[in-house]
């Protein structure tokens, strides 16, 4: 099993749609989880951290399921500006602590 | 304004040449990182540093070197031993190794 795995997509959705991405991780001891977005040829930018109880930031909702070892990102009322690649990031809890980056899920929101 | 500054934005390397990419942060972060991203690929960790005067190899350190003489600065040297250096190089920093990382704008390196 890969350390962090995401469906690469692309997800093509119309404006106003609700879309959800999942990300699975292999290290059950991981404690920190994040979603980033990356626009084409730009640096990744932090979208939100993911907390155990789930958290919301405007149209974005993040959830953590420790039992099944996945995190999710829900985007409501999609905007054209949401088109980007969404990266799942998990900390690697072990001797060599670092963040492990997923390859990303591509989202295209269409008019 | 606090942030991470990478320079140059674009860099060209000749055969057999070493080049150095600059990364400076004024966020007072202890940890700093260098990543490489190839087209259509994920981020791969080259080197990271959790404290001044200390750094560790990441997953693809061969052909690269770093130094961490000051908290604010973490320059990356791409040596002539790196045979495929063309990529997008990203520097990041964080308060600690399990905290969110914040990125600079990146440097695009190409071979002449």
């Amino acid at each position: 099993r890969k350390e962090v795995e995401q469906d690469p997509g692309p997800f093509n959705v119309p404006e106003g749609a609700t879309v959800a991405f999942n990300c699975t991780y292999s290290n059950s001891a991981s404690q920190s989880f994040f979603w980033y977005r990356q626009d084409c040829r730009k640096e990744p930018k932090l979208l939100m951290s993911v907390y155990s109880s789930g958290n919301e930031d405007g149209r974005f909702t993040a959830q953590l399921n420790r039992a099944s070892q996945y995190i999710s990102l829900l985007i409501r009322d999609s905007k054209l500006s949401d088109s980007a690649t969404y990266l799942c990031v998990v900390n690697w809890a072990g001797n060599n602590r670092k963040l492990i980056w997923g390859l990303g899920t591509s989202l295209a929101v269409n008019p | 304004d606090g942030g991470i500054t990478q320079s140059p934005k674009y860099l060209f390397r000749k055969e057999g040449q070493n080049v150095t990419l600059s990364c400076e942060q004024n966020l007072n972060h202890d940890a700093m990182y260098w990543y490489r991203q190839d087209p259509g690929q994920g981020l791969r960790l080259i080197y990271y540093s959790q404290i001044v005067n200390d750094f560790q190899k990441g997953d693809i350190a061969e052909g690269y070197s770093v130094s961490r003489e000051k908290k604010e600065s973490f320059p990356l040297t791409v040596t002539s031993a790196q045979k495929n250096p063309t990529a997008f190089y990203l520097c990041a920093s964080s308060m600690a190794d399990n905290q969110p990382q914040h990125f600079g704008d990146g440097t695009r390196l190409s071979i002449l």
Side-chain angles (χ1 to χ4, degrees):
Chain A
R1 186 178 183 180
K2 285 186 183 176
E3 294 168 324
V4 175
E5 200 154 7
Q6 297 183 251
D7 180 345
F11 284 63
N12 285 286
V13 302
E15 255 186 304
T18 296
V19 61
F21 311 133
N22 280 348
C23 166
T24 58
Y25 60 94
S26 62
N27 189 334
S28 59
S30 294
Q31 294 293 326
S32 302
F33 308 90
F34 311 100
W35 283 104
Y36 280 72
R37 70 170 277 165
Q38 186 174 25
D39 293 289
C40 189
R41 297 178 66 82
K42 299 284 191 181
E43 76 278 16
K45 291 186 178 174
L46 179 67
L47 183 64
M48 58 199 302
S49 301
V50 185
Y51 302 119
S52 297
S53 54
N55 47 299
E56 191 173 302
D57 182 1
R59 297 181 293 108
F60 299 86
T61 301
Q63 298 274 356
L64 167 63
N65 185 318
R66 285 194 185 277
S68 301
Q69 292 181 210
Y70 73 87
I71 65 172
S72 63
L73 177 68
L74 181 80
I75 306 175
R76 289 183 299 279
D77 189 22
S78 300
K79 311 291 185 193
L80 296 177
S81 58
D82 293 333
S83 298
T85 296
Y86 290 83
L87 305 173
C88 166
V89 189
V90 177
N91 87 300
W92 190 256
N95 289 335
N96 187 12
R97 292 175 62 182
K98 58 184 180 181
L99 295 185
I100 306 296
W101 294 76
L103 296 183
T105 297
S106 175
L107 172 66
V109 181
N110 305 306
Chain B
D1 248 347
I4 301 176
T5 302
Q6 287 188 241
S7 63
K9 200 171 179 71
Y10 299 94
L11 186 58
F12 297 91
R13 194 192 88 169
K14 292 180 183 177
E15 199 76 36
Q17 187 182 40
N18 292 352
V19 292
T20 297
L21 284 59
S22 170
C23 178
E24 304 277 330
Q25 54 100 358
N26 60 4
L27 299 167
N28 201 32
H29 285 171
D30 285 316
M32 295 187 76
Y33 312 82
W34 274 105
Y35 291 94
R36 169 183 173 139
Q37 189 173 36
D38 294 277
Q41 302 295 313
L43 274 68
R44 292 188 289 169
L45 184 64
I46 304 172
Y47 268 99
Y48 64 103
S49 168
Q50 294 171 310
I51 198 167
V52 175
N53 291 322
D54 187 45
F55 50 82
Q56 285 81 41
K57 292 182 179 180
D59 301 317
I60 54 164
E62 188 174 344
Y64 301 97
S65 65
V66 293
S67 62
R68 186 87 188 272
E69 296 175 4
K70 298 186 301 182
K71 187 175 185 176
E72 305 80 26
S73 179
F74 192 40
L76 173 75
T77 296
V78 184
T79 74
S80 56
Q82 174 48 250
K83 297 306 179 190
N84 185 21
T86 298
F88 186 36
Y89 289 86
L90 289 157
C91 178
S93 72
S94 66
M95 289 181 65
D97 58 11
N98 62 347
Q99 294 296 306
Q101 293 176 10
H102 302 272
F103 286 82
D105 292 344
T107 293
R108 293 195 180 275
L109 176 62
S110 302
I111 297 179
L112 273 179

